[in-house]
């Protein structure tokens, strides 16, 4: 009969290496710096967009963590190289854009629940607390409200060669309704975003390094290029929706505004950019209506143009409240963000006070595109 314990394995000798402990550092992680991330194992559109989202937020947080006065001029290679590689794969620039900040940065709290703000959350965040969350998710709801309008673009363009005026009228009604719903969604910004937090905390993290006095020479992407590169920050002008609406309705903006808007298309995912171009090349809806004697079609078209101008007027009001008025309060010391929202150190940002995060002269640009939209009406 075997002695007790004779069949039991002998215990392993106690060594530090068995427990991933270091002779030199003990429980300390010997080299805690983030290693350079490999992009080789990323598969498919979703994984690439998620990687771009994560890397863009890390980049903005790193560069702007000390505010505009402490903006860093070099992005370390462990961020720069994978960010560049993922961006090249997606056809996007290596910076946080609308495609990251809004389009790819949401999830449902309850997977089977509705796409409503109470059931939504962001995937990744930056300083700004509930105001940042509200800013992202309200913008997301504007994009969601646009969906029937995007479908209407397809229906209208497909109806033109068939001269199907009934389908065309229905598409224009659907488009006007969608733009109106976008305006309703945009107005919810007032309920969810504190102007002081947006101006003093959030806005800096959306800023880029093109046409920005805080980073006049751009950013060096270490391991990618020895020369600085300049990219615009996240901007509503990077949303594909309004570009597509403008092209369908034949809205023509000023030369200066058109140059800026076309540059913003470089910040859209290539398939979205291609959709806008396809709409631009389609048979002209405006020309069809100008040669048509159908008064109800012209009226439906004008309702779309009017709704789009009204939406842009609402956007001007939002920018006035969240940038111009918030900047005045910050200067007067009356625009302090609430505790816990995590403002960057130092005084509130001021170098971009008159510019959008995309680098445009914000009020001149917004008023110009609103006014040229109004000019797109067709005489009855």
């Amino acid at each position: 009969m075997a002695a007790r314990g004779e069949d039991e394995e002998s215990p392993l000798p106690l060594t530090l290496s068995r427990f991933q402990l270091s002779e030199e550092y003990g429980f300390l992680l010997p080299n805690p710096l983030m290693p350079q991330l490999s992009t080789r194992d990323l598969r498919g559109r979703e994984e690439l967009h998620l990687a771009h989202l994560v890397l863009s937020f890390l980049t903005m947080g790193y560069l702007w963590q000390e505010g505009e006065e402490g903006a860093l001029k070099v992005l370390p290679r462990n961020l720069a190289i994978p960010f560049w590689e993922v961006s090249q794969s997606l056809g996007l620039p290596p910076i946080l854009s609308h495609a990251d900040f809004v389009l790819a940065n949401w999830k449902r709290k309850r997977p089977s629940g509705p796409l409503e703000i109470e059931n939504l959350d962001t995937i990744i965040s930056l300083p700004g607390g509930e105001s940042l969350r509200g800013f992202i998710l309200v913008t997301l709801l504007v994009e969601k409200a646009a969906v029937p309008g995007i479908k209407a673009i397809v229906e209208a363009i497909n109806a033109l060669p068939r001269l199907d005026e009934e389908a065309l009228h229905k598409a224009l009604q659907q488009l006007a309704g969608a733009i109106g719903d976008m305006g309703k969604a945009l107005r919810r910004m007032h309920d969810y975003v504190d102007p002081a937090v947006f101006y003093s905390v959030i806005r800096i993290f959306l800023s880029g390094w093109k046409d920005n006095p805080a980073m006049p020479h751009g950013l060096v992407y270490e391991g990618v290029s020895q020369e600085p590169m300049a990219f615009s920050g996240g901007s509503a002008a990077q949303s594909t929706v309004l570009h597509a609406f403008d092209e369908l309705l034949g809205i023509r903006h000023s030369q200066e505004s058109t140059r800026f808007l076309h540059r913003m298309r470089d910040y859209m995912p290539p398939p979205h950019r291609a959709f806008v171009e396809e709409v631009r090349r389609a048979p002209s809806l405006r020309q069809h209506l100008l040669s048509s004697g159908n008064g109800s079609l012209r009226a439906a078209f004008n309702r779309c143009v009017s709704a789009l101008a009204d939406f842009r007027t609402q956007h001007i009001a939002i920018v006035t409240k969240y940038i111009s008025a918030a900047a005045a309060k910050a200067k007067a010391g009356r625009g302090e963000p609430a505790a816990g929202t995590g403002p960057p150190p130092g005084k509130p940002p001021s170098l971009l006070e008159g510019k959008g995060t995309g680098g445009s002269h914000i009020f001149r640009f917004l008023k110009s595109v609103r006014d040229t939209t109004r000019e797109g009406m067709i005489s009855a």
Side-chain angles (χ1 to χ4, degrees), residues 41-53 86 90:
D41 296 328
L42 293 174
R43 296 289 181 270
R45 175 173 169 244
E46 285 77 15
E47 288 189 10
L48 285 167
H49 273 291
L50 182 59
H52 201 274
L53 169 67
V86 169
L90 286 171

Side-chain angles (χ1 to χ4, degrees), residues 136-349:
I136 294 171
L137 296 181
V138 168
T139 308
L140 170 72
L141 293 179
V142 174
E143 292 277 351
K144 179 64 171 63
V147 172
I150 298 169
K151 294 178 182 177
I153 291 174
V154 176
E155 292 164 5
I157 288 174
N158 289 338
L160 279 172
R162 305 194 310 265
L163 300 179
D164 188 341
E165 297 199 336
E166 183 179 346
L168 190 53
H169 190 271
K170 182 180 177 182
L172 289 173
Q173 286 180 312
Q174 188 172 320
L175 176 57
I179 298 171
D181 289 341
M182 289 167 63
K184 292 176 186 174
L186 183 62
R187 286 195 289 274
R188 300 183 74 181
M189 198 72 74
H190 301 287
D191 300 326
Y192 289 95
V193 184
D194 181 335
V197 175
F198 178 80
Y199 182 76
S200 296
V201 181
I202 297 171
R203 194 165 181 251
I204 186 71
F205 292 103
L206 305 181
S207 301
W209 28 98
K210 181 178 177 64
D211 301 325
N212 184 347
M215 294 182 69
H217 304 297
L219 176 70
V220 172
Y221 288 76
E222 191 177 62
V224 175
S225 171
Q226 294 182 348
E227 296 298 318
M229 292 187 279
F231 297 103
S232 298
S235 168
Q238 294 166 2
S239 171
T240 310
V241 170
L242 296 184
H243 289 252
F245 291 171
D246 277 347
E247 294 293 357
L248 177 72
L249 299 172
I251 304 298
R252 294 293 173 257
H253 299 296
S254 71
Q255 190 174 20
E256 181 183 8
S257 296
T258 298
R259 275 198 305 269
F260 175 73
L261 285 167
H262 283 196
R263 179 157 64 82
M264 290 297 99
R265 293 181 185 181
D266 294 337
Y267 295 77
M268 300 174 186
H272 299 182
R273 200 183 311 152
F275 177 74
V276 175
E277 184 59 24
E278 192 78 7
V279 176
R280 187 190 69 80
R281 290 199 301 260
S284 171
L285 171 61
R286 173 178 289 275
Q287 288 304 315
H288 174 76
L289 295 183
L290 287 172
S291 61
S292 167
N294 191 323
S296 63
L297 271 182
R298 290 189 179 193
F301 176 90
N302 283 342
R303 282 194 292 273
C304 293
V305 174
S306 179
L308 188 56
D310 288 346
F311 180 84
R312 284 177 160 145
T313 296
Q314 285 186 50
H315 190 197
I316 292 170
I318 292 283
V319 170
T320 300
K321 176 178 178 178
Y322 285 88
I323 297 177
S324 181
K329 288 182 178 179
K331 283 181 180 177
R334 294 183 289 108
E336 295 298 322
T341 52
K347 62 184 182 181

